[in-house]
Amino acid sequence: MFFFGDPNKKNLKKIQPIVDEINELESRFEKFSDQKLKEQTKKFQQEIKEQTKTLNDILPKAFAVVREAAKRTIKQRHFDVQLLGGIVLHQGKITEMKTGEGKTLVATLPAYLNALEGKGIHIITVNDYLTQRDSLWMGKIFDFLGLTVGCIQHEKAFKFQLIDSNQIDLIPVSRKEAYNCDILYGTNNEFGFDYLKDNMVYNLNQMSQRALHYAIIDEMDSILIDEARTPLIISAPAEESAEQYQQFAQLVCRLKENEDYNVDEKMKAATLTEEGISKMEKWLGMQNIYTEGGLNLVHHLEEALKAETLFKCDRDYIIKEGEIIIVDEFTGRLMPGRRYSGGLHQAIEAKEGVQVQKESITLATVTFQNYFRLYKKLSGMTGTAVTSAEEFSKVYNLDVVVIPTNKLMNRKDLPDKIYKTENGKFKAIIEKIKELNQTGQPVLIGTISIKKNELFGKILDQSGVPYEILNAKNHWKEAEIIAQAGKKGAVTIATNMAGRGVDIILGGKKTDEISEEEHQKIHNETLSLGGLFVIGSERHEARRIDNQLRGRSGRQGDSGCSQFFVSMEDDLMRIFGSDKMKELMDRLGLPDDMPIENKMISHSIEAAQNKIEGYNFDVRKHLLEYDDVMNKHRETIYKKRREILNLPENSKQIILEMIEKEIEQVVSFHTSLEDEKQWNLEEIYEVISTIFHVSKEVRIKLEDIEREAGNKVQDIFARTKIIQYLINLSRQAYDELEKKINSIDINDTEDDFIKNNPMREIEKGIVLRSIDNLWIEHLEAIDYLKTGIGLRGYGQRDPLVEFKKEAYRMFNELINTIEKQIVYSIYKIELVTEIAPSVIQKSNIKLNVPEQENLSISSKKINRNDLCPCGSGKKYKKCCGK
């Protein structure tokens, strides 16, 4: 109940006058020739550039121009509700528009308007098929109006090109060229990974993205909520550890549930009992696995138990060509290239008997939550946003506006049919499918897993009902199968992906073989049969997913029907439902295949879904609170990298300041103002010697400076004089090193900066190498901290507060260590051969981690197992001698 009126209606009422203004302009722009219409873009761009008008001033005309261009290029006219949606998107909000309302076309309006600023617009889709389809389809509009359109896919980039009036194509281009387009289509993964890769490069020319200006996200709930818990990670192989994973996979399968371990399906956790731990210790020949095996062995055991008990084949993952490929639990799509972290993926590989891949070290990581919050402006579209409005508001500061449908919704959402057993439910669904199929009414059956998907296929085979099956194993046919799911007599079984982004047209998609009139006749016939009947084979834990499935029917005012079939043995009901309901059904002696429609059970289902949604929101919020800490670290480190990349000529001053800071710290530490006897000039001399070469005369000079001071009053002046003396020496040594390096003649480069300033390029390489190597270690350390910090809750301390304190301390240590490594490395470079630019330019690659052929440590000969002279406390072979 709203005491002050429905805020959604208020929003729509406020922007309705803008829609009216756009409609008034339609007749004016209809009279423009193609050329004159195209010229409006340059006119708008000039007004923005000269700041005579703002985007809001131009909006009505710009939207009217896009509408007219769409009519002329793709023969579609934006409805008034689509104009409403476009205005809401421009305002940086989320539009909830039902399936079939034309969200793809809506995005062209704010995309065109905001592209006039020339800063690049990103339109994010959920898969590569939609990326390619939308860039080709909507690209006609943008190209007609003089804007460039790009498309990025995995390791590929394209640019829209109009070959002639009847032919269009996507031509391959570089990643950078695609990002320079006015409008760029791509998936959330591609944009996120490109952001990480851009912050790992060693040359500005290798960066792809421009500043993150404005993003429009299609299927926003799928990207910002369903995938928010899975961070993007770029990693590299680490040590081989297959044996332990295989050993534990063989042992945990011998354990018994409720005796050796307990599984909590609500929390998705599996824990060993005392009996289970004793068995494992006996099999491993240990007295105490925690003290003898250490945390590493315990970690292997925990991951193996998780893999065995919580992760199921054909539900959470599939096995394809000897690889474990994750299945997205919300969309049902395969996620090739993605791996579970923390050793879980290796544990699953060992369980399934496929090759165990090497563990990996994290080189860079970011969550979608924090990546998309980097955009100056963000908006999105989906058919199901209201149920997650609180999360969008709290996490992304985005409001949800519900846009009314263009035509009145004509779908009947029937009450759930509830059965005692799963077998009884399956029988009822099959009977319903047969009944509908005999009349010719098209049916779409939604399942929550591949296993259930294929089970329905087998049952329908036995029943003799022809069908199409769609799941992650044949996802390449997704668009084709879903496009024909509205055909007369069609029976389609689909997992939760249900072809998001592809319209189900009653009568099937029009082909070239039939005329427009024939297609309309088939459409009307299918409409008369009742339209598409959607059957949900069980309730999903998120209401949004159920609503998405229902939304496949009733497109643009078409008739349709939806109904869910639920059993008390479904996961949702078994884990979160009421045990009393099951007992009541047993006492009443209801047959397995007799349905009941009970408000209490329906309420129980909704309560369970609400409970899970709340729990998942809390989990995502909890993860975000921790990742926000890491995000500040990430932003600081990436900012430091960009400073060096953008202004390499400043690298000398940056390094000299680090050297001076280190000299000041060394001298201050060994010159106590409280007690002259604690002055240790020998230690100062030795430490400075490890930074740059100093002669023995310097040691004598230090004593002279101390002697000249004479008394305690002069101590502070003596310290200052020593610091200044050593700083001057460091500058002289640096100038000599620079002179030596710059004297080398480099001819095999076209880069004048490198040719004239090889020392700057080496400085840049050392700074970036130090930042990257130590950042990788910091990521690993933070990961360990995050894993163990929860234990502090037992000591009545807030784990998040403790995490923030520890992370702050660790980050300060990271910055200090980076500076130390740079200071203790810079004077020790020597040329292995000539500093060939070809070598310098190669020094960034294997996942953008620099190779070190062009740099080596030279001073005195050091044993690789000795402590590193840079003062890091690590062995030389693991530090500067890498």
Side-chain angles (χ1 to χ4, degrees), residues 232-363:
L232 292 174
I233 298 173
I234 292 179
S235 59
E239 61 192 276
E240 188 77 56
S241 55
E243 269 185 38
Q244 282 184 322
Y245 284 112
Q246 289 161 346
Q247 180 186 20
F248 280 113
Q250 291 165 5
L251 293 177
V252 295
C253 65
R254 294 161 59 183
L255 299 173
K256 296 175 183 175
E257 188 176 356
N258 299 326
E259 182 182 319
D260 301 320
Y261 63 85
N262 293 313
V263 174
D264 187 335
E265 291 186 84
K266 287 186 183 181
M267 300 295 291
K268 295 184 180 176
T271 51
L272 284 165
T273 61
E274 289 294 330
E275 290 82 355
I277 293 169
S278 298
K279 277 186 185 178
M280 291 301 300
E281 287 170 342
K282 182 182 176 183
W283 293 337
L284 293 167
M286 293 180 178
Q287 293 293 320
N288 188 321
I289 190 172
Y290 292 92
T291 55
E292 294 176 52
L295 289 176
N296 188 43
L297 206 64
V298 173
H299 172 71
H300 279 289
L301 172 55
E302 289 173 345
E303 296 306 304
L305 185 63
K306 258 198 256 182
E308 178 67 28
T309 58
L310 298 174
F311 290 81
K312 305 297 180 189
C313 187
D314 285 346
R315 186 190 72 185
D316 303 295
Y317 60 88
I318 66 165
I319 304 169
K320 186 178 180 183
E321 297 175 2
E323 280 188 58
I324 300 295
I325 300 178
I326 300 172
V327 175
D328 188 305
E329 65 173 310
F330 291 99
T331 66
R333 291 190 174 91
L334 290 182
M335 302 168 78
R338 297 280 283 274
R339 292 175 66 82
Y340 294 116
S341 59
L344 176 60
H345 209 95
Q346 287 85 352
I348 294 172
E349 288 169 332
K351 165 192 166 185
E352 297 293 351
V354 302
Q355 184 182 353
V356 177
Q357 304 292 328
K358 288 183 179 180
E359 285 196 70
S360 58
I361 52 170
T362 299
L363 304 180

Side-chain angles (χ1 to χ4, degrees), residues 55-99:
L55 291 181
N56 287 336
D57 295 334
I58 292 171
L59 188 151
K61 286 183 181 177
F63 277 32
V65 164
V66 175
R67 177 192 258 179
E68 186 59 33
K71 283 154 63 177
R72 299 186 190 190
T73 53
I74 64 171
K75 312 302 178 193
Q76 290 190 12
R77 177 185 177 275
H78 294 81
F79 301 129
D80 284 5
V81 291
Q82 290 174 314
L83 298 178
L84 282 172
I87 296 166
V88 170
L89 289 175
H90 167 66
Q91 292 174 342
K93 296 176 182 177
I94 299 170
T95 63
E96 179 177 293
M97 299 182 75
K98 300 300 178 191
T99 300

Side-chain angles (χ1 to χ4, degrees), residues 475-486:
H475 65 95
W476 63 89
K477 292 183 179 178
E478 179 178 343
E480 179 189 334
I481 293 172
I482 285 295
Q484 299 300 338

Side-chain angles (χ1 to χ4, degrees), residues 407-466:
K407 294 181 180 177
L408 195 65
M409 176 63 71
N410 201 21
R411 185 186 69 234
K412 293 178 184 175
D413 294 328
L414 300 175
D416 295 356
K417 284 196 171 185
I418 301 153
Y419 296 82
K420 188 167 77 171
T421 66
E422 192 172 54
N423 278 337
K425 178 186 73 173
F426 283 166
K427 285 178 187 175
I429 291 175
I430 296 301
E431 287 304 314
K432 186 68 177 177
I433 293 170
K434 282 182 182 176
E435 176 194 323
L436 294 167
N437 188 243
Q438 284 172 2
T439 67
Q441 186 173 359
V443 187
L444 174 69
I445 304 102
T447 65
I448 68 166
S449 70
I450 298 170
K451 191 174 180 181
K452 297 277 175 71
N453 187 265
E454 292 178 339
L455 178 60
F456 271 110
K458 287 175 185 174
I459 299 172
L460 286 176
D461 279 334
Q462 293 166 3
S463 305
V465 177

